[in-house]
Amino acid sequence: VYDYVCSTVTYAKDMRPLIVYTSWSALFNNEAVCQGYAQLMYKMLKELGISVRVIPGKANNQSHGWNIVKRPVESQSPVLLV
């Protein structure tokens, strides 16, 4: 899922159209800002039965969104996807 999203979605240069903040734009327009990336990752991983959350916050004093993913039992530490 991570490789698919990273190879097909590009970061939106124009953040004015609100659609770039959605998973729909990431999936069908292949363009989104971090919130759209995070939402698409969330929805795809949930469909696979993987525990995932979207984490909002700040990076470089700007709003940003990440995913935190629960790894399989053999690896106890969570993964933070940027």
Side-chain angles (χ1 to χ4, degrees):
V1 172
Y2 177 83
D3 289 341
Y4 169 79
V5 172
C6 289
S7 67
T8 59
V9 181
T10 60
Y11 200 86
K13 290 179 173 59
D14 185 2
M15 296 178 6
R16 286 175 291 167
L18 295 179
I19 192 79
V20 299
Y21 291 85
T22 67
S23 59
W24 193 96
S25 181
L27 185 60
F28 295 108
N29 294 341
N30 301 108
E31 178 183 63
V33 295
C34 57
Q35 183 176 331
Y37 275 85
Q39 287 179 359
L40 180 59
M41 288 288 298
Y42 173 85
K43 291 178 181 193
M44 293 177 83
L45 291 170
K46 280 301 234 187
E47 281 293 317
L48 294 172
I50 297 171
S51 180
V52 59
R53 293 182 64 191
V54 175
I55 307 296
K58 296 267 186 190
N60 297 325
N61 213 23
Q62 295 181 347
S63 295
H64 193 58
W66 299 268
N67 295 103
I68 190 165
V69 180
K70 185 174 182 182
R71 296 168 91 174
V73 175
E74 63 272 6
S75 177
Q76 294 297 320
S77 59
V79 177
L80 187 63
L81 301 175
V82 178

Coordinates of all heavy atoms in Angstrom, one line a residue:
V1 N 0.8 -1.2 0.0 CA 0.0 0.0 0.0 C 0.9 1.3 0.0 O 0.7 2.2 -0.8 CB -1.0 0.0 1.2 CG1 -1.7 1.3 1.3 CG2 -2.0 -1.1 1.1
Y2 N 1.9 1.3 0.9 CA 2.8 2.4 1.0 C 3.5 2.7 -0.4 O 3.5 3.8 -0.9 CB 3.8 2.2 2.1 CG 4.8 3.3 2.2 CD1 4.5 4.4 2.9 CD2 6.1 3.2 1.6 CE1 5.5 5.5 3.0 CE2 7.0 4.2 1.7 CZ 6.7 5.3 2.4 OH 7.6 6.3 2.5
D3 N 4.0 1.6 -1.0 CA 4.7 1.8 -2.3 C 3.7 2.2 -3.3 O 4.1 3.1 -4.2 CB 5.3 0.5 -2.7 CG 6.5 0.1 -1.8 OD1 7.1 1.0 -1.2 OD2 6.9 -1.1 -1.8
Y4 N 2.5 1.7 -3.4 CA 1.5 2.1 -4.3 C 1.2 3.6 -4.2 O 1.2 4.4 -5.2 CB 0.2 1.3 -4.2 CG -0.9 1.9 -5.1 CD1 -0.9 1.7 -6.4 CD2 -1.9 2.7 -4.5 CE1 -1.9 2.2 -7.2 CE2 -2.8 3.3 -5.3 CZ -2.9 3.0 -6.6 OH -3.9 3.6 -7.4
V5 N 0.9 4.1 -3.0 CA 0.5 5.5 -2.8 C 1.7 6.4 -3.2 O 1.5 7.4 -3.9 CB 0.1 5.7 -1.3 CG1 -0.1 7.2 -1.0 CG2 -1.3 5.0 -1.1
C6 N 2.9 6.0 -2.7 CA 4.1 6.9 -3.0 C 4.4 6.9 -4.5 O 5.0 7.9 -4.9 CB 5.3 6.4 -2.2 SG 5.1 6.7 -0.4
S7 N 4.1 5.9 -5.2 CA 4.5 5.9 -6.6 C 3.4 6.4 -7.5 O 3.7 6.8 -8.7 CB 4.8 4.4 -7.1 OG 3.7 3.6 -7.0
T8 N 2.2 6.6 -7.0 CA 1.1 7.1 -7.9 C 0.6 8.5 -7.5 O 0.0 9.1 -8.4 CB -0.1 6.1 -7.9 OG1 -0.6 5.9 -6.6 CG2 0.3 4.8 -8.5
V9 N 0.8 8.9 -6.3 CA 0.3 10.2 -5.9 C 1.4 11.2 -5.8 O 2.5 10.9 -5.3 CB -0.4 10.1 -4.5 CG1 -1.0 11.4 -4.1 CG2 -1.5 9.0 -4.5
T10 N 1.2 12.4 -6.4 CA 2.2 13.5 -6.3 C 1.6 14.5 -5.4 O 0.4 14.7 -5.2 CB 2.4 14.1 -7.7 OG1 1.2 14.6 -8.2 CG2 3.1 13.1 -8.6
Y11 N 2.6 15.3 -4.7 CA 2.2 16.3 -3.8 C 1.6 17.5 -4.6 O 2.3 18.0 -5.5 CB 3.3 16.7 -2.9 CG 2.9 17.4 -1.7 CD1 2.6 16.7 -0.5 CD2 2.8 18.8 -1.6 CE1 2.1 17.3 0.6 CE2 2.3 19.4 -0.5 CZ 2.0 18.7 0.6 OH 1.5 19.3 1.8
A12 N 0.4 18.0 -4.2 CA -0.2 19.1 -4.9 C 0.5 20.4 -4.7 O 0.9 20.7 -3.6 CB -1.7 19.2 -4.4
K13 N 0.8 21.0 -5.8 CA 1.5 22.3 -5.7 C 0.6 23.4 -5.4 O 0.9 24.4 -4.7 CB 2.2 22.6 -7.1 CG 3.4 21.7 -7.3 CD 4.0 22.0 -8.7 CE 5.3 21.3 -8.9 NZ 5.3 19.9 -8.9
D14 N -0.7 23.3 -5.8 CA -1.7 24.3 -5.5 C -2.6 23.8 -4.5 O -3.4 22.8 -4.7 CB -2.5 24.6 -6.8 CG -3.5 25.8 -6.6 OD1 -3.6 26.3 -5.5 OD2 -4.2 26.1 -7.6
M15 N -2.6 24.4 -3.3 CA -3.4 23.9 -2.2 C -4.7 24.6 -2.0 O -5.5 24.4 -1.1 CB -2.6 24.0 -0.9 CG -1.3 23.1 -0.9 SD -0.2 23.1 0.5 CE -0.8 24.1 1.7
R16 N -5.1 25.5 -3.0 CA -6.3 26.2 -2.9 C -7.5 25.3 -3.2 O -8.5 25.5 -2.5 CB -6.3 27.4 -3.8 CG -5.4 28.5 -3.3 CD -5.3 29.7 -4.2 NE -4.5 29.2 -5.3 CZ -4.4 29.8 -6.5 NH1 -5.0 31.0 -6.7 NH2 -3.6 29.3 -7.4
P17 N -7.5 24.4 -4.2 CA -8.7 23.6 -4.4 C -8.8 22.6 -3.2 O -7.9 21.9 -2.9 CB -8.5 22.9 -5.7 CG -7.1 23.0 -6.0 CD -6.5 24.2 -5.2
L18 N -9.9 22.7 -2.5 CA -10.1 21.9 -1.3 C -10.0 20.4 -1.6 O -9.7 19.6 -0.7 CB -11.3 22.2 -0.5 CG -11.4 23.6 0.0 CD1 -12.7 23.9 0.7 CD2 -10.2 23.9 1.0
I19 N -10.3 20.0 -2.8 CA -10.2 18.6 -3.2 C -8.9 17.9 -2.9 O -8.8 16.7 -2.6 CB -10.7 18.4 -4.7 CG1 -10.9 16.9 -5.0 CG2 -9.6 18.9 -5.6 CD1 -12.3 16.4 -4.6
V20 N -7.8 18.7 -3.0 CA -6.5 18.1 -2.7 C -6.3 17.6 -1.3 O -5.3 17.0 -1.0 CB -5.3 19.0 -3.2 CG1 -5.4 19.3 -4.7 CG2 -5.3 20.3 -2.4
Y21 N -7.2 18.0 -0.4 CA -7.1 17.5 1.0 C -7.8 16.2 1.2 O -7.9 15.7 2.3 CB -7.7 18.6 1.9 CG -6.9 19.8 2.0 CD1 -7.0 20.8 1.0 CD2 -5.9 20.0 3.0 CE1 -6.3 22.0 1.1 CE2 -5.1 21.1 3.0 CZ -5.3 22.1 2.1 OH -4.5 23.3 2.1
T22 N -8.3 15.5 0.1 CA -9.1 14.3 0.3 C -8.4 13.1 -0.3 O -7.5 13.2 -1.2 CB -10.4 14.5 -0.5 OG1 -10.2 14.6 -1.9 CG2 -11.2 15.7 0.0
S23 N -8.8 11.9 0.2 CA -8.4 10.7 -0.4 C -8.9 10.5 -1.8 O -8.2 9.8 -2.6 CB -8.8 9.5 0.5 OG -10.2 9.5 0.6
W24 N -10.0 11.0 -2.1 CA -10.6 10.9 -3.5 C -9.6 11.5 -4.5 O -9.3 10.9 -5.5 CB -11.9 11.6 -3.5 CG -12.7 11.3 -4.8 CD1 -13.6 10.4 -4.9 CD2 -12.5 12.0 -6.1 NE1 -14.1 10.4 -6.2 CE2 -13.4 11.3 -7.0 CE3 -11.7 13.0 -6.6 CZ2 -13.6 11.7 -8.3 CZ3 -11.8 13.3 -7.9 CH2 -12.7 12.7 -8.7
S25 N -9.1 12.7 -4.2 CA -8.1 13.4 -5.1 C -6.8 12.5 -5.2 O -6.3 12.4 -6.3 CB -7.8 14.8 -4.5 OG -6.9 15.4 -5.4
A26 N -6.4 12.0 -4.0 CA -5.2 11.1 -4.1 C -5.4 9.9 -5.0 O -4.5 9.6 -5.8 CB -4.8 10.7 -2.7
L27 N -6.5 9.3 -4.9 CA -6.8 8.1 -5.6 C -7.1 8.3 -7.1 O -6.6 7.6 -8.0 CB -7.9 7.3 -4.9 CG -8.3 5.9 -5.5 CD1 -7.1 5.0 -5.4 CD2 -9.5 5.3 -4.8
F28 N -8.0 9.3 -7.3 CA -8.5 9.5 -8.7 C -7.8 10.6 -9.5 O -7.7 10.5 -10.7 CB -10.0 9.7 -8.7 CG -10.8 8.5 -8.2 CD1 -11.3 8.5 -6.9 CD2 -10.8 7.3 -8.9 CE1 -12.0 7.4 -6.5 CE2 -11.5 6.2 -8.5 CZ -12.1 6.3 -7.2
N29 N -7.2 11.6 -8.8 CA -6.5 12.6 -9.5 C -5.0 12.4 -9.4 O -4.2 13.2 -10.0 CB -6.9 14.0 -8.9 CG -8.3 14.4 -9.2 OD1 -9.0 13.8 -10.1 ND2 -8.8 15.3 -8.5
N30 N -4.6 11.5 -8.6 CA -3.2 11.2 -8.3 C -2.4 12.4 -7.8 O -1.3 12.6 -8.1 CB -2.5 10.6 -9.6 CG -3.1 9.4 -10.0 OD1 -3.8 9.3 -11.0 ND2 -3.0 8.3 -9.3
E31 N -3.1 13.3 -7.0 CA -2.6 14.5 -6.5 C -3.3 14.8 -5.2 O -4.5 14.8 -5.1 CB -2.8 15.6 -7.5 CG -2.2 16.9 -7.0 CD -2.5 18.1 -8.0 OE1 -3.7 18.4 -8.2 OE2 -1.5 18.6 -8.5
A32 N -2.5 15.1 -4.2 CA -3.0 15.5 -2.9 C -1.9 16.1 -2.0 O -0.8 16.1 -2.3 CB -3.5 14.2 -2.1
V33 N -2.4 16.8 -0.9 CA -1.5 17.2 0.1 C -1.4 16.1 1.2 O -2.1 15.1 1.1 CB -1.9 18.6 0.7 CG1 -1.8 19.7 -0.4 CG2 -3.3 18.5 1.3
C34 N -0.6 16.3 2.2 CA -0.4 15.3 3.2 C -1.7 14.7 3.8 O -1.8 13.5 4.0 CB 0.5 15.8 4.3 SG -0.2 17.2 5.2
Q35 N -2.7 15.5 4.0 CA -4.0 15.0 4.5 C -4.6 14.0 3.6 O -5.1 13.0 4.0 CB -4.9 16.2 4.8 CG -6.3 15.8 5.4 CD -7.1 17.0 5.7 OE1 -6.6 18.0 6.0 NE2 -8.4 16.7 5.7
G36 N -4.6 14.3 2.3 CA -5.1 13.4 1.3 C -4.3 12.1 1.2 O -4.9 11.0 1.1
Y37 N -3.0 12.2 1.3 CA -2.1 11.0 1.4 C -2.5 10.1 2.6 O -2.7 8.9 2.5 CB -0.7 11.3 1.5 CG 0.1 11.6 0.3 CD1 0.1 12.9 -0.3 CD2 0.9 10.7 -0.3 CE1 0.8 13.2 -1.4 CE2 1.7 11.0 -1.4 CZ 1.6 12.3 -2.0 OH 2.4 12.6 -3.1
A38 N -2.6 10.8 3.7 CA -2.9 10.1 5.0 C -4.2 9.4 5.0 O -4.4 8.3 5.5 CB -2.7 11.1 6.2
Q39 N -5.2 10.1 4.4 CA -6.6 9.6 4.4 C -6.6 8.3 3.5 O -7.3 7.4 3.8 CB -7.6 10.6 3.9 CG -7.9 11.6 5.0 CD -8.9 12.7 4.5 OE1 -9.3 12.7 3.3 NE2 -9.2 13.6 5.3
L40 N -5.9 8.4 2.3 CA -5.9 7.3 1.4 C -5.2 6.1 2.0 O -5.7 5.0 2.0 CB -5.2 7.7 0.1 CG -5.2 6.5 -1.0 CD1 -6.6 6.0 -1.3 CD2 -4.4 7.0 -2.2
M41 N -4.1 6.3 2.7 CA -3.4 5.2 3.4 C -4.3 4.6 4.4 O -4.4 3.4 4.6 CB -2.1 5.7 4.0 CG -1.0 6.1 3.1 SD -0.2 4.6 2.3 CE 0.4 3.8 3.7
Y42 N -5.0 5.5 5.2 CA -5.9 5.0 6.2 C -7.0 4.1 5.7 O -7.2 3.0 6.1 CB -6.5 6.2 6.9 CG -7.6 5.8 7.9 CD1 -7.2 5.5 9.2 CD2 -8.9 5.8 7.6 CE1 -8.2 5.1 10.2 CE2 -9.9 5.4 8.5 CZ -9.5 5.1 9.8 OH -10.5 4.7 10.7
K43 N -7.6 4.5 4.6 CA -8.7 3.8 4.0 C -8.2 2.4 3.4 O -8.9 1.4 3.6 CB -9.5 4.6 3.0 CG -10.2 5.7 3.7 CD -10.9 6.6 2.7 CE -11.7 7.7 3.4 NZ -12.6 8.4 2.6
M44 N -7.1 2.5 2.7 CA -6.6 1.3 2.1 C -6.1 0.2 3.2 O -6.4 -1.0 3.1 CB -5.5 1.6 1.2 CG -6.0 2.4 -0.1 SD -4.6 2.8 -1.2 CE -4.5 1.3 -2.1
L45 N -5.4 0.7 4.2 CA -5.0 -0.2 5.2 C -6.1 -0.8 6.1 O -6.1 -1.9 6.4 CB -3.9 0.5 6.1 CG -2.6 0.8 5.4 CD1 -1.7 1.7 6.3 CD2 -1.9 -0.5 5.1
K46 N -7.1 0.1 6.4 CA -8.3 -0.4 7.1 C -9.0 -1.5 6.3 O -9.5 -2.5 6.9 CB -9.3 0.7 7.3 CG -9.0 1.6 8.5 CD -8.9 0.8 9.8 CE -9.7 1.4 10.8 NZ -9.5 0.7 12.1
E47 N -9.1 -1.4 5.0 CA -9.7 -2.4 4.1 C -9.0 -3.7 4.2 O -9.5 -4.8 4.1 CB -9.8 -1.9 2.7 CG -10.9 -1.0 2.4 CD -12.3 -1.6 2.5 OE1 -12.5 -2.8 2.0 OE2 -13.1 -1.0 3.1
L48 N -7.7 -3.7 4.5 CA -6.8 -4.9 4.6 C -6.8 -5.4 6.0 O -6.2 -6.4 6.4 CB -5.4 -4.6 4.2 CG -5.2 -4.2 2.7 CD1 -3.8 -3.7 2.4 CD2 -5.6 -5.4 1.9
G49 N -7.6 -4.7 6.9 CA -7.7 -5.2 8.3 C -6.5 -4.8 9.2 O -6.3 -5.4 10.2
I50 N -5.7 -3.8 8.7 CA -4.6 -3.3 9.5 C -5.0 -2.1 10.3 O -5.6 -1.2 9.9 CB -3.4 -3.0 8.5 CG1 -3.0 -4.2 7.7 CG2 -2.3 -2.3 9.2 CD1 -2.1 -3.9 6.6
S51 N -4.5 -2.2 11.6 CA -4.8 -1.1 12.5 C -4.0 0.2 12.2 O -2.8 0.1 12.1 CB -4.5 -1.5 14.0 OG -4.8 -0.5 14.9
V52 N -4.7 1.3 11.9 CA -4.1 2.5 11.5 C -4.9 3.7 12.0 O -6.1 3.6 12.2 CB -4.0 2.5 9.9 CG1 -5.4 2.4 9.3 CG2 -3.2 3.7 9.4
R53 N -4.2 4.8 12.2 CA -4.8 6.0 12.6 C -4.2 7.2 11.8 O -3.0 7.1 11.4 CB -4.6 6.3 14.1 CG -5.3 5.3 15.0 CD -5.1 5.6 16.4 NE -5.8 6.9 16.7 CZ -5.6 7.5 17.9 NH1 -4.8 7.0 18.8 NH2 -6.2 8.6 18.1
V54 N -5.0 8.3 11.6 CA -4.4 9.5 11.0 C -4.1 10.4 12.2 O -4.9 10.6 13.1 CB -5.5 10.2 10.1 CG1 -5.0 11.5 9.6 CG2 -5.8 9.3 9.0
I55 N -2.9 10.9 12.2 CA -2.4 11.8 13.3 C -2.2 13.2 12.7 O -1.3 13.4 11.9 CB -1.0 11.2 13.8 CG1 -1.2 9.8 14.2 CG2 -0.5 12.1 15.0 CD1 -2.1 9.5 15.4
P56 N -2.9 14.2 13.2 CA -2.7 15.6 12.8 C -1.7 16.2 13.7 O -1.5 15.8 14.8 CB -4.1 16.2 13.0 CG -4.7 15.4 14.1 CD -4.2 14.0 14.0
G57 N -1.0 17.2 13.1 CA 0.0 17.9 13.9 C 0.6 19.0 13.2 O 0.1 19.5 12.2
K58 N 1.8 19.4 13.6 CA 2.6 20.5 13.0 C 4.0 20.0 12.6 O 4.6 19.2 13.4 CB 2.7 21.7 14.0 CG 1.4 22.3 14.3 CD 1.2 23.5 13.4 CE -0.1 24.2 13.9 NZ -0.5 25.2 12.9
A59 N 4.5 20.4 11.5 CA 5.8 20.2 11.0 C 6.3 21.5 10.4 O 5.7 22.1 9.6 CB 5.9 19.0 10.0
N60 N 7.5 21.9 10.9 CA 8.0 23.2 10.5 C 7.0 24.3 10.6 O 6.8 25.1 9.7 CB 8.5 23.1 9.0 CG 9.7 22.1 8.9 OD1 10.5 22.0 9.8 ND2 9.7 21.4 7.8
N61 N 6.3 24.3 11.7 CA 5.3 25.3 12.0 C 4.1 25.4 11.0 O 3.4 26.4 10.9 CB 5.9 26.7 12.2 CG 5.2 27.5 13.2 OD1 4.6 27.0 14.1 ND2 5.3 28.8 13.1
Q62 N 3.8 24.3 10.3 CA 2.7 24.2 9.4 C 1.9 22.9 9.7 O 2.5 21.9 10.2 CB 3.2 24.1 7.9 CG 3.9 25.4 7.5 CD 4.3 25.2 6.0 OE1 4.3 24.1 5.4 NE2 4.7 26.3 5.4
S63 N 0.6 23.0 9.4 CA -0.2 21.8 9.7 C 0.3 20.6 8.8 O 0.7 20.8 7.7 CB -1.7 22.1 9.3 OG -2.2 23.1 10.2
H64 N 0.2 19.4 9.4 CA 0.7 18.2 8.7 C -0.1 17.0 9.2 O -0.7 17.1 10.2 CB 2.2 18.0 8.9 CG 2.8 17.0 8.0 ND1 2.8 17.1 6.7 CD2 3.4 15.9 8.3 CE1 3.4 16.1 6.1 NE2 3.8 15.3 7.1
G65 N -0.2 16.0 8.4 CA -0.9 14.8 8.8 C 0.0 13.6 8.5 O 0.7 13.5 7.5
W66 N -0.1 12.6 9.4 CA 0.7 11.3 9.3 C -0.3 10.2 9.5 O -1.4 10.3 10.0 CB 1.8 11.3 10.3 CG 2.8 12.3 10.3 CD1 4.0 12.2 9.6 CD2 2.8 13.6 11.0 NE1 4.7 13.4 9.9 CE2 4.0 14.2 10.7 CE3 1.9 14.2 11.8 CZ2 4.3 15.5 11.2 CZ3 2.2 15.5 12.3 CH2 3.4 16.1 12.0
N67 N 0.3 9.0 9.3 CA -0.4 7.7 9.7 C 0.5 7.1 10.7 O 1.7 7.1 10.6 CB -0.6 6.8 8.5 CG -1.5 7.3 7.5 OD1 -1.1 7.7 6.5 ND2 -2.8 7.3 7.8
I68 N -0.2 6.4 11.7 CA 0.6 5.5 12.6 C -0.1 4.2 12.4 O -1.3 4.0 12.3 CB 0.5 6.0 14.0 CG1 1.5 5.2 14.9 CG2 -0.8 6.0 14.6 CD1 1.9 5.7 16.2
V69 N 0.7 3.2 12.2 CA 0.3 1.8 11.8 C 0.8 0.8 12.8 O 1.9 0.8 13.2 CB 0.8 1.4 10.4 CG1 0.3 0.1 10.0 CG2 0.4 2.5 9.4
K70 N -0.1 -0.1 13.2 CA 0.3 -1.1 14.2 C 0.9 -2.3 13.3 O 0.2 -2.8 12.5 CB -0.9 -1.6 15.0 CG -0.5 -2.6 16.0 CD -1.7 -3.0 16.9 CE -1.2 -4.0 17.9 NZ -2.4 -4.4 18.8
R71 N 2.1 -2.6 13.7 CA 2.8 -3.7 12.9 C 2.4 -5.0 13.5 O 1.8 -5.1 14.5 CB 4.3 -3.5 13.1 CG 4.8 -2.2 12.5 CD 6.2 -1.9 12.9 NE 7.1 -2.5 11.9 CZ 8.4 -2.3 12.0 NH1 8.9 -1.5 12.9 NH2 9.2 -2.8 11.1
P72 N 2.7 -6.1 12.7 CA 2.3 -7.4 13.2 C 3.0 -7.7 14.5 O 3.9 -7.1 14.9 CB 2.9 -8.3 12.1 CG 3.0 -7.5 10.9 CD 3.3 -6.1 11.4
V73 N 2.5 -8.7 15.2 CA 2.9 -9.1 16.6 C 4.4 -9.2 16.7 O 5.0 -8.8 17.7 CB 2.2 -10.4 17.1 CG1 2.7 -10.8 18.4 CG2 0.7 -10.1 17.1
E74 N 5.1 -9.8 15.7 CA 6.5 -10.1 15.8 C 7.3 -8.8 15.8 O 8.5 -8.8 16.2 CB 7.0 -11.0 14.7 CG 6.9 -10.4 13.3 CD 5.5 -10.7 12.6 OE1 4.6 -11.3 13.3 OE2 5.4 -10.4 11.5
S75 N 6.7 -7.7 15.5 CA 7.4 -6.4 15.6 C 6.5 -5.4 16.4 O 5.5 -4.9 15.9 CB 7.6 -5.8 14.2 OG 8.2 -4.5 14.3
Q76 N 6.9 -5.2 17.7 CA 6.0 -4.5 18.6 C 5.9 -3.0 18.4 O 5.0 -2.4 18.8 CB 6.5 -4.8 20.0 CG 6.3 -6.3 20.4 CD 4.9 -6.7 20.4 OE1 4.0 -5.9 20.8 NE2 4.6 -7.9 19.9
S77 N 6.9 -2.4 17.8 CA 6.9 -0.9 17.7 C 6.1 -0.5 16.5 O 6.1 -1.1 15.5 CB 8.3 -0.4 17.6 OG 8.9 -0.9 16.4
P78 N 5.3 0.6 16.7 CA 4.4 1.1 15.6 C 5.3 1.8 14.5 O 6.4 2.2 14.8 CB 3.5 2.1 16.3 CG 4.2 2.5 17.5 CD 5.1 1.4 17.9
V79 N 4.7 2.0 13.4 CA 5.4 2.7 12.3 C 4.7 4.0 12.0 O 3.5 4.1 12.0 CB 5.3 1.8 11.0 CG1 5.9 2.5 9.8 CG2 5.9 0.5 11.2
L80 N 5.5 5.0 11.9 CA 4.9 6.4 11.5 C 5.2 6.6 10.1 O 6.4 6.7 9.7 CB 5.6 7.4 12.4 CG 5.0 8.8 12.3 CD1 3.6 8.8 12.8 CD2 5.8 9.8 13.2
L81 N 4.2 6.8 9.3 CA 4.3 7.1 7.9 C 4.1 8.5 7.6 O 3.1 9.1 8.0 CB 3.3 6.3 7.1 CG 3.4 4.8 7.2 CD1 2.2 4.1 6.5 CD2 4.7 4.2 6.7
V82 N 5.1 9.1 6.9 CA 5.0 10.6 6.7 C 4.5 10.8 5.3 O 4.8 10.1 4.3 CB 6.4 11.2 6.8 CG1 6.4 12.7 6.5 CG2 6.9 11.0 8.2

